[in-house]
Amino acid sequence: MRKTILVSVDRGETRVSVLEAKGKPPERKGRRKKAAPGPDWKVAELYVERRGRRSIVGNIYKGRVDNVLPGMEAAFVDFGLERNGFLHVDEIVPADGSAAPKRGRGRGRRIDELLKSGQEIVVQVVKDPLKTKGARLSMNLSIAGRYLVYMPQGGGVGVSKRVPDKERTRLRKLIENLDVGGGGVIVRTAAQGGQKEDFKREIAYLHRLAEVVGRRANDAEIGTMIFQEADLSVRVIRDVLVEEFEAAILDDQKQYERVASFLQRTAPELEKSVELYDRTKEPLFDKWGAEEAFNSVLSRRVELPSGGYLIIDYAEALTVIDINTGSFTGRGKGRLEDTITKVNVEAAEEVVRQLRMRDIGGIIVIDFIDMARARNRDQVLKTLRKALDEDRTKTYVVEVSPLGLVEMTRQNVTDGVREILTKRCPVCDGEGVVSSEETVAIEIVRKLREVVAEQPDPEAFLVRVNPRVAGELMHEGSGLTELEESAGKRFHFEGGDVLPLDTFAVVETGGREEIEERALPFKVGDEVLVTIEEPHMYNAEDAVARVEAYIVSVTGGGGHVGERRMVRIEDVGRSSATASLLDDGNGAGGDGSAKQLESASAGGRRRRGSRGGKKRSGAGDKSS
């Protein structure tokens, strides 16, 4: 896969998109042509980092053990953040420098033998704080370079599993013949084709970094960061520096210089692959289609080229992906099984793309459409696993279950794009649903019965509710009329469209005339300038206007839809009024007369409001 990296920097936010296309990049000879978007490029990964919410994975801190929990084989460490970090016994390096035996199933040393409360330790963050959980920590520090990851407290040589077997053997022998000093080394995927001199130079560089970390750790106070990982753009570019890397395009001068400096130090042959994009032209992400991909990660539904689609639903520690055929019904005389298999194969590739773009982690269940033939199930699973080969995040896939489900896990290290771009809904509190208007109206009638029982003296009540709920209360059969008749009370409602549906508050109590004067926006005889919006539902000669959330039926207004006309209020109800047209002498009214009439109307309503004690505010608190 060819890879191109886009970096777009705005005030307070850095966005990175990794694009992929099939094939190999052209050889880098002479002056390289600028990378250009094409239909073969697809967005594969998305990252976003905001000021104040930068990932802390890879950072090294001086910490203090807060408490040790032998029952959990873990300790909680204060390292300067609001929440303590979690340190498992397998991530502990003993004070004597020896390797800690893994606990496994009861074997190895107990955690209270390795750590004590109040002990000062140096830890590295291996997993960001996610939701209610604190950061995951390790005492086995690692410092990443282009080719190698150096672990000062580790030992031995490891090689990435993504490296082909033959190349893995060559790299292992080459590193073992080098003097890596104390500690261990992991050979990264990007090391393929690397030579002895490349590794010697990088080992020396990583040793210098480790020495700096050691000196800072000795002098640092508790909660101090002693090593910070590279920023987002450099991290992503460093992690995809493989043979398929084609270009890095940045629209910010400072980030461009930072990336160019990094490549000069680690991969001089790739320095010409970095481009500075002129952001005065079309936005970088728009040009390459990455902006659309950023917007798409917020949607539950993902369309497939054939007409099928995916539905992605999230739970606390589980993500469920459902595949549907949608509008795809097959072609020609193909059988149902062939149609289903085609959608499932197409979906398998798109599922992996969505996992990478959204950075979905934890347990993932994929509900493929049921297939009768084992051969077809194997084909879908093979497609899924092949697509996962491009995913740099650790995954584990289980066979297709008898119910057609594929269970898998994907390592969750940082918040994904969706979590960074969104927040918990304050209306539904993350439930995804809210009570309907009818449900709220029924509940309000119950509350009104309680109000009447507690306050038997007032004749009328002014209640604040959402206008849509007020409309439900006005419907026959809501129970409001029966309550008024049995209790001998009168209820009026006010409120704006922006109020939550479940809003309920008794605003004022008193006599019937007093509350009616306070609640109703007009009285009989008022003249008002309105916009006639639509024909009446039952009488084509009449029309409907709205003043804030209050409905005005205009007699004879059917021929004036879209016009602004003066009307006289003939009858007033709790939720609507009836009005008749006034002749302003200019038909629909010229600009000057319309302003004059509007002013007169507004003044009349202001006088009306002061006389009845009616308060007026903006659209945030409309009357109904």
Side-chain angles (χ1 to χ4, degrees):
M1 283 283 190
R2 299 150 57 201
K3 295 181 184 291
T4 292
I5 298 173
L6 310 180
V7 180
S8 179
V9 180
D10 295 301
R11 185 174 182 178
E13 180 180 78
T14 299
R15 298 185 297 170
V16 177
S17 175
V18 178
L19 293 90
E20 293 179 348
K22 293 182 179 179
K24 293 185 177 180
E27 294 185 12
R28 296 179 174 88
K29 292 182 179 180
R31 189 172 182 178
R32 194 184 67 83
K33 293 182 179 179
K34 286 192 174 184
D40 53 337
W41 288 101
K42 283 189 176 182
V43 177
E45 297 175 17
L46 296 171
Y47 303 93
V48 60
E49 196 168 73
R50 289 178 173 169
R51 190 175 300 168
R53 286 193 60 183
R54 180 172 173 172
S55 172
I56 61 172
V57 172
N59 292 358
I60 300 175
Y61 297 84
K62 182 74 169 288
R64 178 189 290 115
V65 178
D66 195 6
N67 55 344
V68 178
L69 305 175
M72 294 179 61
E73 295 185 337
F76 286 95
V77 180
D78 177 9
F79 66 107
L81 266 65
E82 182 179 349
R83 283 178 291 185
N84 287 349
F86 179 86
L87 177 66
H88 190 262
V89 65
D90 289 346
E91 299 293 340
I92 295 175
V93 176
D96 58 10
S98 62
K102 302 297 182 183
R103 281 285 293 168
R105 299 180 180 176
R107 298 186 299 272
R109 297 164 64 183
R110 292 173 52 87
I111 190 168
D112 50 2
E113 298 173 354
L114 299 170
L115 289 180
K116 303 296 181 184
S117 294
Q119 182 177 338
E120 296 184 4
I121 58 175
V122 177
V123 293
Q124 185 170 36
V125 178
V126 295
K127 188 174 182 179
D128 274 330
L130 299 176
K131 297 178 182 175
T132 59
K133 298 179 180 178
R136 189 76 180 254
L137 307 177
S138 174
M139 291 177 64
N140 191 10
L141 309 183
S142 63
I143 303 173
R146 178 190 176 187
Y147 300 116
L148 307 172
V149 176
Y150 176 59
M151 298 176 292
Q153 291 94 351
V157 176
V159 183
S160 169
K161 293 181 180 179
R162 292 180 175 275
V163 178
D165 293 341
K166 186 176 180 180
E167 179 67 2
R168 185 185 295 118
T169 302
R170 184 188 76 87
L171 291 173
R172 185 181 294 277
K173 289 181 179 179
L174 194 153
I175 297 295
E176 288 175 346
N177 291 330
L178 290 176
D179 180 16
V180 298
V185 169
I186 297 176
V187 183
R188 309 186 69 183
T189 308
Q192 296 182 60
Q195 301 302 315
K196 185 176 181 179
E197 291 302 317
D198 297 326
F199 298 137
K200 285 180 65 177
R201 183 172 60 249
E202 183 149 296
I203 287 172
Y205 168 71
L206 294 176
H207 277 182
R208 288 195 298 272
L209 279 181
E211 290 172 2
V212 171
V213 170
R215 288 197 301 270
R216 290 179 180 176
N218 292 331
D219 302 333
E221 297 181 356
I222 302 301
T224 302
M225 180 173 63
I226 56 181
F227 175 81
Q228 185 175 30
E229 254 286 28
D231 56 14
L232 179 63
S233 56
V234 173
R235 289 201 311 271
V236 175
I237 290 173
R238 179 191 67 196
D239 292 344
V240 298
L241 282 183
V242 292
E243 292 182 358
E244 294 83 4
F245 175 73
E246 186 165 314
I249 308 173
L250 305 93
D251 65 4
D252 180 76
Q253 181 70 37
K254 289 183 178 179
Q255 285 289 335
Y256 170 80
E257 293 172 356
R258 194 169 295 149
V259 170
S261 174
F262 168 75
L263 290 178
Q264 282 177 356
R265 187 173 65 252
T266 60
E269 73 278 9
L270 299 178
E271 184 182 352
K272 293 181 179 179
S273 300
V274 184
E275 299 177 12
L276 179 61
Y277 184 79
D278 184 0
R279 62 190 309 164
T280 61
K281 300 178 181 178
E282 181 184 8
L284 175 62
F285 272 36
D286 285 346
K287 182 175 181 179
W288 286 79
E291 191 69 44
E292 183 180 350
F294 256 100
N295 296 331
S296 72
V297 300
L298 304 182
S299 175
R300 289 178 65 235
R301 178 165 172 151
V302 179
E303 302 293 339
L304 298 174
S306 65
Y309 61 91
L310 315 178
I311 294 292
I312 304 175
D313 284 314
Y314 302 87
E316 182 68 22
L318 172 73
T319 302
V320 180
I321 304 177
D322 182 42
I323 288 91
N324 299 279
T325 56
S327 62
F328 182 62
T329 58
R331 293 186 177 88
K333 298 181 180 180
R335 294 174 298 181
L336 174 61
E337 179 78 3
D338 297 334
T339 301
I340 291 172
T341 303
K342 176 176 174 56
V343 174
N344 280 341
V345 169
E346 195 174 65
E349 295 181 346
E350 185 61 31
V351 162
V352 175
R353 180 170 174 261
Q354 293 297 322
L355 294 180
R356 296 173 64 192
M357 280 205 308
R358 301 172 186 233
D359 198 14
I360 297 173
I363 301 171
I364 301 158
V365 176
I366 309 167
D367 183 11
F368 287 104
I369 307 168
D370 290 341
M371 294 168 288
R373 295 183 177 181
R375 180 182 62 187
N376 294 334
R377 293 195 293 271
D378 292 342
Q379 181 185 357
V380 171
L381 192 61
K382 182 179 179 181
T383 302
L384 181 71
R385 284 180 166 151
K386 184 178 179 182
L388 285 170
D389 288 342
E390 296 296 328
D391 189 4
R392 291 180 289 114
T393 303
K394 188 184 298 182
T395 58
Y396 174 72
V397 181
V398 183
E399 299 292 333
V400 180
S401 75
L403 297 177
L405 304 177
V406 171
E407 300 170 18
M408 64 175 289
T409 60
R410 189 171 185 270
Q411 190 176 23
N412 201 356
V413 176
T414 63
D415 278 328
V417 176
R418 178 176 175 270
E419 284 71 26
I420 296 175
L421 297 183
T422 62
K423 69 175 185 177
R424 196 179 187 92
C425 173
V427 177
C428 72
D429 196 28
E431 295 294 329
V433 294
V434 295
S435 298
S436 67
E437 292 87 344
E438 183 180 12
T439 301
V440 176
I442 292 172
E443 182 62 28
I444 285 177
V445 172
R446 294 194 189 104
K447 292 179 179 178
L448 290 176
R449 289 197 189 98
E450 297 174 3
V451 169
V452 170
E454 294 171 359
Q455 304 180 50
D457 295 332
E459 295 179 343
F461 299 81
L462 180 60
V463 183
R464 176 165 294 154
V465 298
N466 184 284
R468 286 177 287 167
V469 175
E472 286 290 335
L473 290 165
M474 294 296 104
H475 288 166
E476 186 178 352
S478 69
L480 182 68
T481 303
E482 290 81 354
L483 175 60
E484 288 180 328
E485 291 176 354
S486 63
K489 309 296 181 183
R490 187 74 166 171
F491 300 100
H492 291 277
F493 304 101
E494 73 168 14
D497 290 327
V498 297
L499 289 176
L501 278 180
D502 59 355
T503 297
F504 173 82
V506 177
V507 178
E508 192 172 332
T509 62
R512 289 198 177 193
E513 292 185 1
E514 177 189 357
I515 297 301
E516 184 173 299
E517 181 77 9
R518 166 76 168 83
L520 299 180
F522 311 115
K523 70 174 183 178
V524 174
D526 278 353
E527 296 180 359
V528 187
L529 179 63
V530 300
T531 299
I532 300 177
E533 297 182 2
E534 59 190 55
H536 197 281
M537 184 180 296
Y538 303 112
N539 190 342
E541 295 181 358
D542 299 339
V544 173
R546 289 180 178 83
V547 177
E548 296 175 343
Y550 196 77
I551 296 174
V552 179
S553 296
V554 182
T555 304
H560 302 282
V561 174
E563 299 178 5
R564 304 177 73 197
R565 298 298 300 265
M566 286 292 292
V567 298
R568 178 181 289 114
I569 304 299
E570 305 290 351
D571 184 58
V572 179
R574 281 189 290 188
S575 60
S576 64
T578 302
S580 59
L581 287 169
L582 288 177
D583 185 4
D584 59 15
N586 291 308
D591 291 341
S593 60
K595 291 179 182 178
Q596 183 179 0
L597 291 170
E598 184 173 16
S599 174
S601 173
R605 294 192 68 187
R606 281 195 294 272
R607 291 192 299 273
R608 167 84 174 83
S610 62
R611 184 172 64 251
K614 179 120 182 99
K615 296 180 180 178
R616 285 287 168 196
S617 63
D621 189 19
K622 298 178 181 178
S623 298
S624 61

